[in-house]
Amino acid sequence: MPKAGVVIVGSGHAGGTAAALLRQYGYAEPIVLIGEEPLAPYQRPPLSKAWLKGEADAETLMLKPESFYDESGVGLHLSTRAERIDRDAKAVVMAGGAVAPYETLILATGARARRIPLPGLDLDCVLALRTAADADALKRALGPGKRMVVIGGGYIGLEAAASARALGAEVVVIEREPRVLARVACETLSDFFQDYHRRHGVHFIFGAGVEAIVGGDGRAAAVKLAGDTLVEADVFLVGVGATPNQELAADAGLHCNDGIVVDLDARTSDPAIFAIGDCTRRPMPIYGGRLHRLESVPNALEQAKQAASAIAGRPAPAGEVPWFWSDQYDLKLQIAGLPFDAVETIIRGDVASAKFAVFHLDAQNRVRAVEAINAPPEFMAGRLLIGQGKAVAPDRLRDMSISMKEVAA
């Protein structure tokens, strides 16, 4: 590989955006972008939604046209795995022995589906949903007359369940907790999504421990629950969280703690190495600087800006309020902030009409997070309030006769 000013390991949303921003910010030295997948950088959120339902194709998923990389002088190396970082030599060593020297290294290695110690996990028709290849395999297995079991009631599993129902498949969601989204959403939101999915024909089994996936001839046929209960299906989607791909960094001696630890420039414990996206644990200034790992496209974009700005010698970008979204059926969920230190929840709007928001307030009546269903004004104003850190009267939040613009002002 040619000598590069910047080597980026990881060709996902974060890595692809960092390469583009470096050129946009005037960085003129060589850039090498290395990815394990055979595809140029593409968007992952549609995989569980538009892609699964056949409403998107490979071209619409791409972050940039493939011609961009040649035209911008970005060396794109796909189907290539980085094996080791030699920090003394400032080089990345690939599988097969190729070496990519760097002046600056960006790790954008993302996260992988968390594997649980479950017998039968390697049988055919047991899938995760992190890559385009995963989504293709799942799409081929779905359709009228098919049945899917989802292990785990998180956002990816629920999005896939909604898409599977749209394709005519039967869906069963198995969750060990007493509700869906137990780790990431308030009870009001969990109850709402459960009811909405049930009305669309999704079946739920709560408080259930999965003991094994069983089948014959190497193919999965059923999930075995405690008490020898079997839940049969044609395809099984395991969605129980994600694990940061930090091994490359940890083996190189970089500080890691359930993610590669970085500062507000996205710089690691080695000044010549940055890390961005799902693989990182980053400071959260609006929450007292505590470290947190965010898995979202907005976070990938923000950290790509931070790293590219630092490398190109530009001023650091303004801090952003973290936000997330999920599309299920005709529902648009938008979340701003994180409910750190929240002691009270305020519901604004009408849950029954699927147009409402849940605000999370701390003891000083500051909005720490908002979860908005089909309620863009509440999301946008809530995001503004979180960034401002100002107190707001709970009664004003509840009062639908007062616009969110007035509340935020």
Side-chain angles (χ1 to χ4, degrees):
M1 290 186 181
K3 181 175 178 60
V6 172
V7 169
I8 303 171
V9 177
S11 60
H13 216 126
T17 299
L21 286 175
L22 282 167
R23 289 296 186 236
Q24 181 182 324
Y25 293 170
Y27 183 81
E29 299 301 315
I31 300 172
V32 166
L33 179 58
I34 299 164
E36 289 191 26
E37 291 188 62
L39 301 176
Y42 62 90
Q43 305 175 66
R44 296 180 191 270
L47 294 179
S48 59
K49 300 178 279 286
W51 179 267
L52 203 56
K53 293 186 288 184
E55 299 170 355
D57 57 26
E59 187 174 344
T60 60
L61 282 189
M62 293 296 111
L63 291 183
K64 296 284 187 182
E66 289 205 34
S67 60
F68 164 83
Y69 302 97
D70 283 338
E71 293 168 359
S72 302
V74 175
L76 186 59
H77 298 269
L78 302 176
S79 301
T80 303
R81 183 168 59 86
E83 234 175 32
R84 181 169 59 87
I85 301 168
D86 186 334
R87 289 170 58 191
D88 292 331
K90 297 186 79 170
V92 178
V93 181
M94 309 299 144
V99 174
Y102 65 83
E103 288 299 321
T104 304
L105 175 62
I106 299 177
L107 299 176
T109 47
R112 61 188 181 273
R114 188 165 74 88
R115 286 181 64 87
I116 51 180
L118 186 66
L121 204 60
D122 294 322
L123 292 172
D124 287 346
C125 300
V126 179
L127 305 173
L129 187 50
R130 297 291 300 184
T131 68
D134 293 336
D136 277 343
L138 185 58
K139 183 162 60 174
R140 289 193 298 269
L142 295 175
K146 299 293 186 180
R147 193 181 205 216
M148 177 173 75
V149 163
V150 179
I151 301 173
Y155 283 119
I156 291 294
L158 293 181
E159 289 171 358
S163 297
R165 291 297 296 138
L167 293 170
E170 185 180 348
V171 180
V172 179
V173 176
I174 300 173
E175 170 57 57
R176 69 178 182 180
E177 301 295 331
R179 62 185 176 95
V180 299
L181 306 173
R183 293 178 294 108
V184 295
C186 69
E187 193 166 345
T188 297
L189 205 64
S190 291
D191 291 345
F192 170 79
F193 274 114
Q194 286 164 203
D195 291 343
Y196 210 86
H197 275 274
R198 282 192 178 109
R199 291 202 297 272
H200 283 79
V202 176
H203 304 277
F204 291 96
I205 301 174
F206 291 112
V210 176
E211 293 189 346
I213 300 174
V214 298
D217 298 324
R219 183 183 180 91
V223 166
K224 181 183 176 184
L225 305 180
D228 292 334
T229 299
L230 293 178
V231 183
E232 297 180 344
D234 301 286
V235 62
F236 302 83
L237 177 64
V238 181
V240 291
T243 299
N245 293 323
Q246 66 179 32
E247 290 79 9
L248 198 64
D251 290 346
L254 301 180
H255 183 200
C256 296
N257 178 19
D258 185 35
I260 307 167
V261 177
V262 298
D263 63 15
L264 284 174
D265 285 331
R267 198 185 302 266
T268 70
S269 52
D270 182 329
I273 303 178
F274 293 77
I276 59 177
D278 290 4
C279 64
T280 67
R281 179 167 291 272
R282 53 164 292 178
M284 309 289 292
I286 62 175
Y287 297 106
R290 70 183 79 194
L291 295 176
H292 193 69
R293 189 163 69 83
L294 298 173
E295 296 173 18
S296 71
V297 169
N299 175 65
L301 300 180
E302 182 183 12
Q303 288 193 295
K305 291 176 192 173
Q306 292 171 348
S309 295
I311 294 167
R314 289 168 56 101
E320 299 178 11
V321 174
W323 66 280
F324 318 83
W325 81 91
S326 177
D327 295 322
Q328 300 171 41
Y329 308 109
D330 55 348
L331 302 175
K332 180 76 170 183
L333 167 65
Q334 295 171 295
I335 301 173
L338 298 159
F340 292 130
D341 307 319
V343 297
E344 181 181 10
T345 58
I346 303 292
I347 298 176
R348 177 183 171 90
D350 181 21
V351 175
S353 67
K355 189 173 183 180
F356 69 97
V358 182
F359 290 86
H360 298 258
L361 276 60
D362 67 10
Q364 288 76 48
N365 286 335
R366 295 177 299 175
V367 178
R368 307 306 271 164
V370 58
E371 300 161 315
I373 294 284
N374 294 340
E378 280 70 18
F379 165 72
M380 291 185 287
R383 190 177 173 195
L384 181 64
L385 286 166
I386 294 165
Q388 292 172 339
K390 294 192 304 185
V392 60
D395 287 344
R396 287 175 62 82
L397 273 179
R398 290 190 186 95
D399 191 345
M400 292 295 290
S401 70
I402 303 174
S403 72
M404 282 308 302
K405 186 176 181 180
E406 293 175 274
V407 173

